[in-house]
PDB file of all heavy atoms in Angstrom:
ATOM      1  N   PRO S 398     -26.958  16.711  -0.667  1.00  0.00           N
ATOM      2  CA  PRO S 398     -27.424  15.346  -0.277  1.00  0.00           C
ATOM      3  C   PRO S 398     -28.536  14.955  -1.138  1.00  0.00           C
ATOM      4  O   PRO S 398     -29.291  15.807  -1.694  1.00  0.00           O
ATOM      5  CB  PRO S 398     -27.955  15.503   1.167  1.00  0.00           C
ATOM      6  CG  PRO S 398     -28.125  16.941   1.309  1.00  0.00           C
ATOM      7  CD  PRO S 398     -27.138  17.702   0.348  1.00  0.00           C
ATOM      8  N   PRO S 399     -28.805  13.666  -1.484  1.00  0.00           N
ATOM      9  CA  PRO S 399     -29.894  13.248  -2.308  1.00  0.00           C
ATOM     10  C   PRO S 399     -31.268  13.546  -1.711  1.00  0.00           C
ATOM     11  O   PRO S 399     -31.351  13.733  -0.506  1.00  0.00           O
ATOM     12  CB  PRO S 399     -29.669  11.627  -2.299  1.00  0.00           C
ATOM     13  CG  PRO S 399     -28.977  11.313  -1.116  1.00  0.00           C
ATOM     14  CD  PRO S 399     -28.004  12.527  -0.853  1.00  0.00           C
ATOM     15  N   GLY S 400     -32.300  13.534  -2.551  1.00  0.00           N
ATOM     16  CA  GLY S 400     -33.676  13.974  -2.151  1.00  0.00           C
ATOM     17  C   GLY S 400     -34.055  15.371  -2.730  1.00  0.00           C
ATOM     18  O   GLY S 400     -33.289  16.060  -3.163  1.00  0.00           O
ATOM     19  N   THR S 401     -35.330  15.507  -2.531  1.00  0.00           N
ATOM     20  CA  THR S 401     -35.953  16.798  -2.881  1.00  0.00           C
ATOM     21  C   THR S 401     -35.482  17.941  -1.949  1.00  0.00           C
ATOM     22  O   THR S 401     -35.686  17.793  -0.681  1.00  0.00           O
ATOM     23  CB  THR S 401     -37.520  16.690  -2.938  1.00  0.00           C
ATOM     24  OG1 THR S 401     -37.839  15.613  -3.717  1.00  0.00           O
ATOM     25  CG2 THR S 401     -38.062  18.077  -3.433  1.00  0.00           C
ATOM     26  N   PRO S 402     -35.027  19.016  -2.440  1.00  0.00           N
ATOM     27  CA  PRO S 402     -34.681  20.163  -1.573  1.00  0.00           C
ATOM     28  C   PRO S 402     -35.879  20.747  -0.835  1.00  0.00           C
ATOM     29  O   PRO S 402     -36.953  20.780  -1.523  1.00  0.00           O
ATOM     30  CB  PRO S 402     -34.004  21.152  -2.524  1.00  0.00           C
ATOM     31  CG  PRO S 402     -34.478  20.862  -3.847  1.00  0.00           C
ATOM     32  CD  PRO S 402     -34.701  19.283  -3.829  1.00  0.00           C
ATOM     33  N   THR S 403     -35.650  21.142   0.416  1.00  0.00           N
ATOM     34  CA  THR S 403     -36.791  21.765   1.109  1.00  0.00           C
ATOM     35  C   THR S 403     -36.351  22.956   1.723  1.00  0.00           C
ATOM     36  O   THR S 403     -35.124  23.195   1.958  1.00  0.00           O
ATOM     37  CB  THR S 403     -37.403  20.779   2.228  1.00  0.00           C
ATOM     38  OG1 THR S 403     -36.231  20.479   3.130  1.00  0.00           O
ATOM     39  CG2 THR S 403     -37.903  19.558   1.663  1.00  0.00           C
ATOM     40  N   ASP S 404     -37.230  23.943   1.983  1.00  0.00           N
ATOM     41  CA  ASP S 404     -36.869  25.119   2.590  1.00  0.00           C
ATOM     42  C   ASP S 404     -36.570  24.858   4.018  1.00  0.00           C
ATOM     43  O   ASP S 404     -37.227  24.052   4.696  1.00  0.00           O
ATOM     44  CB  ASP S 404     -38.146  26.238   2.537  1.00  0.00           C
ATOM     45  CG  ASP S 404     -38.282  26.677   1.004  1.00  0.00           C
ATOM     46  OD1 ASP S 404     -37.370  26.638   0.309  1.00  0.00           O
ATOM     47  OD2 ASP S 404     -39.456  26.983   0.700  1.00  0.00           O
ATOM     48  N   PRO S 405     -35.702  25.678   4.627  1.00  0.00           N
ATOM     49  CA  PRO S 405     -35.501  25.520   6.087  1.00  0.00           C
ATOM     50  C   PRO S 405     -36.638  25.920   6.924  1.00  0.00           C
ATOM     51  O   PRO S 405     -37.415  26.722   6.500  1.00  0.00           O
ATOM     52  CB  PRO S 405     -34.225  26.489   6.309  1.00  0.00           C
ATOM     53  CG  PRO S 405     -34.355  27.468   5.283  1.00  0.00           C
ATOM     54  CD  PRO S 405     -34.928  26.781   4.056  1.00  0.00           C
ATOM     55  N   PRO S 406     -36.852  25.397   7.944  1.00  0.00           N
ATOM     56  CA  PRO S 406     -38.048  25.608   8.855  1.00  0.00           C
ATOM     57  C   PRO S 406     -38.059  27.101   9.376  1.00  0.00           C
ATOM     58  O   PRO S 406     -36.885  27.522   9.615  1.00  0.00           O
ATOM     59  CB  PRO S 406     -37.888  24.693  10.068  1.00  0.00           C
ATOM     60  CG  PRO S 406     -36.473  24.239  10.181  1.00  0.00           C
ATOM     61  CD  PRO S 406     -35.933  24.307   8.714  1.00  0.00           C
ATOM     62  N   TRP S 407     -39.176  27.703   9.413  1.00  0.00           N
ATOM     63  CA  TRP S 407     -39.206  28.991   9.967  1.00  0.00           C
ATOM     64  C   TRP S 407     -39.309  29.077  11.426  1.00  0.00           C
ATOM     65  O   TRP S 407     -40.030  28.366  12.058  1.00  0.00           O
ATOM     66  CB  TRP S 407     -40.406  29.790   9.374  1.00  0.00           C
ATOM     67  CG  TRP S 407     -40.575  31.231   9.760  1.00  0.00           C
ATOM     68  CD1 TRP S 407     -39.963  32.217   9.243  1.00  0.00           C
ATOM     69  CD2 TRP S 407     -41.363  31.616  10.789  1.00  0.00           C
ATOM     70  NE1 TRP S 407     -40.333  33.343   9.981  1.00  0.00           N
ATOM     71  CE2 TRP S 407     -41.311  33.076  10.866  1.00  0.00           C
ATOM     72  CE3 TRP S 407     -42.356  31.112  11.775  1.00  0.00           C
ATOM     73  CZ2 TRP S 407     -41.927  33.904  11.866  1.00  0.00           C
ATOM     74  CZ3 TRP S 407     -42.959  31.859  12.743  1.00  0.00           C
ATOM     75  CH2 TRP S 407     -42.745  33.212  12.808  1.00  0.00           C
ATOM     76  N   LEU S 408     -38.367  29.916  12.034  1.00  0.00           N
ATOM     77  CA  LEU S 408     -38.367  29.952  13.546  1.00  0.00           C
ATOM     78  C   LEU S 408     -38.808  31.337  13.905  1.00  0.00           C
ATOM     79  O   LEU S 408     -38.100  32.372  13.371  1.00  0.00           O
ATOM     80  CB  LEU S 408     -36.937  29.579  14.050  1.00  0.00           C
ATOM     81  CG  LEU S 408     -36.404  28.161  13.709  1.00  0.00           C
ATOM     82  CD1 LEU S 408     -35.047  28.063  14.233  1.00  0.00           C
ATOM     83  CD2 LEU S 408     -37.367  27.165  14.459  1.00  0.00           C
ATOM     84  N   PRO S 409     -39.568  31.535  14.779  1.00  0.00           N
ATOM     85  CA  PRO S 409     -39.979  32.865  15.267  1.00  0.00           C
ATOM     86  C   PRO S 409     -39.014  33.489  16.103  1.00  0.00           C
ATOM     87  O   PRO S 409     -38.175  32.721  16.640  1.00  0.00           O
ATOM     88  CB  PRO S 409     -41.306  32.616  16.101  1.00  0.00           C
ATOM     89  CG  PRO S 409     -41.176  31.193  16.583  1.00  0.00           C
ATOM     90  CD  PRO S 409     -40.491  30.422  15.510  1.00  0.00           C
ATOM     91  N   ARG S 410     -38.875  34.811  16.049  1.00  0.00           N
ATOM     92  CA  ARG S 410     -37.938  35.452  16.947  1.00  0.00           C
ATOM     93  C   ARG S 410     -38.363  35.337  18.404  1.00  0.00           C
ATOM     94  O   ARG S 410     -39.543  35.339  18.659  1.00  0.00           O
ATOM     95  CB  ARG S 410     -37.891  36.866  16.617  1.00  0.00           C
ATOM     96  CG  ARG S 410     -37.231  37.147  15.173  1.00  0.00           C
ATOM     97  CD  ARG S 410     -37.236  38.650  14.973  1.00  0.00           C
ATOM     98  NE  ARG S 410     -36.642  38.997  13.639  1.00  0.00           N
ATOM     99  CZ  ARG S 410     -36.474  40.222  13.226  1.00  0.00           C
ATOM    100  NH1 ARG S 410     -36.932  41.234  13.945  1.00  0.00           N
ATOM    101  NH2 ARG S 410     -36.012  40.461  12.018  1.00  0.00           N
TER     102      ARG S 410
END
Side-chain angles (χ1 to χ4, degrees):
T401 305
T403 58
D404 293 330
W407 181 80
L408 298 176
R410 293 183 182 176

